Amino acid sequence: MYSRISSAAIHGLEILLISVEADISDGLPAFIMVGYLSAQVREAEDRIRSSFRNNSLPFPAKRITVNLSPASVPKSGSLYDLPIALALLSSNAQIPPDALHEVLAVGELSLSGEINPVNGVLPIAVKAVQSGIRTMLVPSANAGECGNIPNLRIIGLHTLKEAVSFLRYGELPSASPAAEQPTDTTVNDAVDFRDIQGQALAQRAAEIAVAGFHNLLLAGPPGSGKTMIARRIPSILPSLTESEALEIAQIYSIAGLLDPLHPEIKNRPYRHPHHTISPQALAGGGRIPSPGEITLAHRGVLFLDEMPEFSKKALEILRQPLEDREIIISRSAGTFRFPANFLLLAAMNRCPCGLYPDLSRCTCSPQEISSYMNRISKPLLDRIDLTVQCKAVTYEELTAGKKGSQSSAEIRCRVEAVREIESRRFRDVPWHFNSEIPASAVRDFCRMDSRAEHTLAVFYELYSLSARSYHRAVKVARTIADLASSELIRSEHIEEALVFRAFDQPSPGQRVKPLIKSSFSGQERQINHGFR
């Protein structure tokens, strides 16, 4: 007797519907599984046999053939245990054949018949709705993460017996105790920008970076507050939209990082990998790749502390996703696309000992300094919008207390105001932040007055900017103008944006005015030509 039920395969971040077919026929007892299966899927036979026996369900002593179609799609994982078991029960007349119509099932069986949780249930549920499926059988531990999907009936199951009772008699399984809903923790009260002493320019750069989602690099000696500022970035990140939260939740569900008790995504991701991370862990590894740190930081922040200490291969992996907002991984099983729209936040010293340019204390040779700085390539630096040289905190700044310091709540209020401006500006286009404006649309969304055009033209010629640097500087100026509630980008906005292009150098033989006036706090700031 033949039967079938729907399931799903996770192909990177893509969900493909799988038809699980079972046929029981006369002949020598055998259990044959086909359909491009991994070892994990083939092990399902032993788990299913034991779970049938321990739940007093008859296992047919006949020739059993199970096919997972389409055969061209590789299948891996243990999520096929439950649909295979249900297809067998239907073929053996233990479940009515029509009970599996428009039903999708995923779940891992234990030897006792309990149904264990699996990864990727949320995106599978979204795919099920798109495919017209109305009922989905999932492990009870996974039911919470897809409970808010409209037009889909989610049945959370504890055991195989509950699945049989539901499909045979329509009996609903006992509900799990409701998990306590988490409070809104959008802002982390444990850290606050009010704790930062000095570093006004770095704090201003952090505000601009978060408001427009621009990449930021903090360079300076140890103890100057770079990491302290970076750890407070989550406290000023703009809130998530519903579509962004669902997008992040699907990624974390596939990666197995979604909290089953509190599956709602409240905050933007903040990933902080150690500098020993491998390129595969950063980009996503495996025969069928799983999301790496770059993808886990999607719609959030990827913080690289001590950036030059990361391997050259790992750093160069960042170049493509920083430009294309996605990462493409090719394997023998196919080509996989992962979203990678993140804010790159990095911190670094200027030399191995960290004390350069204080030559009275720095013990590094010029060759060591040059080699250390060259660990970060110019093409990668070119993709960083804001660079700040953090000086050592003075005694007066350190002992001034919190007087005059801005709190995270105050900064976040301004960031949210810019976010509202961006939402209105980009309501008819597919991008969300100023940093995402494509080069072809910069002129349309970043209109400048004549003085701003002139300032940018002079700087472009003297510093031999690349086309990428030009567009990134304009987009940073767009965010600065938004913070000032200005529709037009004015000269002072361009000047402040150029202050943060510290690693761009003048052309050989050119004399450059060393000071650029900035509207921020009415100060003049030196552009450091010697960053590289």
Side-chain angles (χ1 to χ4, degrees):
M1 185 176 175
Y2 169 85
S3 66
R4 65 173 297 277
I5 187 174
S6 296
S7 190
I10 300 173
H11 195 71
L13 292 185
E14 184 182 5
I15 304 299
L16 304 173
L17 285 188
I18 299 297
S19 178
V20 179
E21 303 173 305
D23 180 75
I24 299 177
S25 59
D26 294 331
L28 292 174
F31 193 103
I32 302 168
M33 294 180 64
V34 295
Y36 203 167
L37 312 178
S38 69
Q40 289 174 304
V41 181
R42 295 188 181 280
E43 291 169 353
E45 176 186 353
D46 297 319
R47 292 190 290 268
I48 291 171
R49 283 183 181 274
S50 296
S51 61
F52 274 38
R53 183 177 63 254
N54 291 324
N55 286 269
S56 303
L57 294 171
F59 194 90
K62 295 185 177 183
R63 182 179 179 84
I64 300 171
T65 305
V66 175
N67 177 41
L68 275 62
S69 175
S72 59
V73 176
K75 291 91 178 175
S76 62
S78 57
L79 72 164
Y80 302 106
D81 290 6
L82 180 60
I84 292 173
L86 296 178
L88 287 177
L89 289 169
S90 179
S91 295
N92 200 30
Q94 301 297 307
I95 294 175
D98 58 348
L100 303 183
H101 181 61
E102 291 190 351
V103 174
L104 187 147
V106 293
E108 176 188 320
L109 287 177
S110 69
L111 300 185
S112 64
E114 293 183 355
I115 302 177
N116 298 326
V118 294
N119 296 342
V121 170
L122 176 57
I124 292 173
V126 173
K127 181 67 175 181
V129 172
Q130 296 171 352
S131 303
I133 291 172
R134 295 291 174 259
T135 303
M136 184 170 169
L137 307 181
V138 302
S140 59
N142 293 122
E145 67 184 78
C146 50
N148 295 326
I149 302 297
N151 303 319
L152 183 65
R153 187 186 188 192
I154 301 294
I155 306 298
L157 301 167
H158 299 87
T159 64
L160 182 59
K161 271 190 174 181
E162 287 185 346
V164 174
S165 297
F166 170 74
L167 293 171
R168 185 185 292 173
Y169 308 113
E171 296 179 0
L172 292 175
S174 58
S176 301
E180 181 182 352
Q181 294 299 314
T183 57
D184 188 359
T185 56
T186 304
V187 178
N188 187 353
D189 296 328
V191 293
D192 196 288
F193 266 89
R194 194 178 292 276
D195 302 330
I196 306 295
Q197 305 298 318
Q199 303 299 358
L201 186 60
Q203 293 188 60
R204 171 66 171 177
E207 180 179 338
I208 296 170
V210 171
F213 236 59
H214 302 286
N215 302 319
L216 172 62
L217 172 61
L218 304 173
S224 56
K226 305 184 298 296
T227 303
M228 195 173 182
I229 291 172
R231 288 176 176 169
R232 280 152 181 78
I233 291 289
S235 66
I236 63 172
L237 287 172
S239 56
L240 285 166
T241 64
E242 289 186 8
S243 61
E244 287 176 329
L246 179 60
E247 188 179 11
I248 296 169
Q250 291 184 68
I251 294 171
Y252 275 62
S253 176
I254 290 174
L257 299 176
L258 204 60
D259 186 348
L261 296 179
H262 308 301
E264 301 87 355
I265 298 293
K266 296 288 186 179
N267 305 321
R268 293 185 180 272
Y270 182 83
R271 305 297 298 181
H272 182 186
H274 193 262
H275 67 261
T276 57
I277 188 172
S278 68
Q280 292 76 18
L282 193 63
R287 186 178 67 90
I288 299 178
S290 57
E293 289 292 334
I294 287 176
T295 301
L296 294 175
H298 181 61
R299 302 293 182 191
V301 176
L302 178 65
F303 176 41
L304 305 183
D305 202 2
E306 302 300 339
M307 191 178 186
E309 299 297 335
F310 285 76
S311 71
K312 188 80 171 179
K313 287 184 178 180
L315 290 178
E316 291 305 302
I317 283 174
L318 295 170
R319 288 167 56 176
Q320 185 235 340
L322 285 176
E323 196 70 25
D324 301 335
R325 308 289 178 177
E326 67 174 2
I327 185 166
I328 302 173
I329 302 174
S330 296
R331 295 286 187 269
S332 59
T335 299
F336 303 83
R337 292 178 178 270
F338 293 91
N341 191 353
F342 59 90
L343 188 162
L344 176 63
L345 176 61
M348 61 175 290
N349 298 325
R350 297 280 299 278
C351 69
C353 77
L355 299 177
Y356 181 82
D358 186 353
L359 299 181
S360 64
R361 301 171 61 199
C362 180
T363 60
C364 303
S365 67
Q367 292 78 12
E368 289 175 326
I369 296 173
S370 177
S371 175
Y372 189 78
M373 295 301 297
N374 285 333
R375 294 181 186 180
I376 306 175
S377 67
K378 178 63 177 177
L380 181 56
L381 281 175
D382 205 32
R383 289 166 167 81
I384 296 177
D385 307 303
L386 305 163
T387 304
V388 179
Q389 310 291 335
C390 298
K391 298 180 180 179
V393 179
T394 65
Y395 180 79
E396 289 76 15
E397 291 172 331
L398 190 62
T399 56
K402 297 183 179 181
K403 183 180 180 181
S405 299
Q406 297 186 84
S407 67
S408 292
E410 293 171 319
I411 299 174
R412 191 169 186 271
C413 184
R414 295 194 294 269
V415 168
E416 290 286 5
V418 173
R419 186 72 190 93
E420 278 295 318
I421 295 173
E422 291 171 320
S423 297
R424 293 193 298 269
R425 177 182 297 135
F426 304 134
R427 62 181 177 271
D428 298 324
V429 292
W431 49 88
H432 303 83
F433 291 92
N434 290 332
S435 64
E436 301 174 23
I437 302 174
S440 59
V442 165
R443 282 287 177 183
D444 297 330
F445 291 97
C446 303
R447 294 186 295 112
M448 293 180 275
D449 63 18
S450 58
R451 286 188 60 199
E453 290 271 13
H454 176 72
T455 301
L456 190 56
V458 171
F459 193 91
Y460 184 86
E461 293 296 331
L462 291 178
Y463 279 68
S464 298
L465 293 183
S466 66
R468 181 188 293 113
S469 297
Y470 164 82
H471 287 124
R472 288 184 177 271
V474 172
K475 288 185 279 189
V476 170
R478 174 71 273 169
T479 301
I480 295 171
D482 289 342
L483 285 166
S485 301
S486 174
E487 181 63 30
L488 273 180
I489 298 175
R490 306 191 184 280
S491 179
E492 59 267 25
H493 306 144
I494 286 289
E495 290 171 355
E496 185 172 357
L498 296 179
V499 167
F500 297 111
R501 302 297 304 180
F503 52 81
D504 290 310
Q505 298 189 33
S507 302
Q510 294 284 350
R511 298 182 63 187
V512 184
K513 187 177 180 181
L515 294 175
I516 286 183
K517 292 183 179 180
S518 170
S519 60
F520 174 59
S521 301
Q523 298 177 3
E524 292 184 335
R525 298 188 192 86
Q526 183 85 27
I527 291 186
N528 186 348
H529 303 322
F531 180 74
R532 290 302 311 268

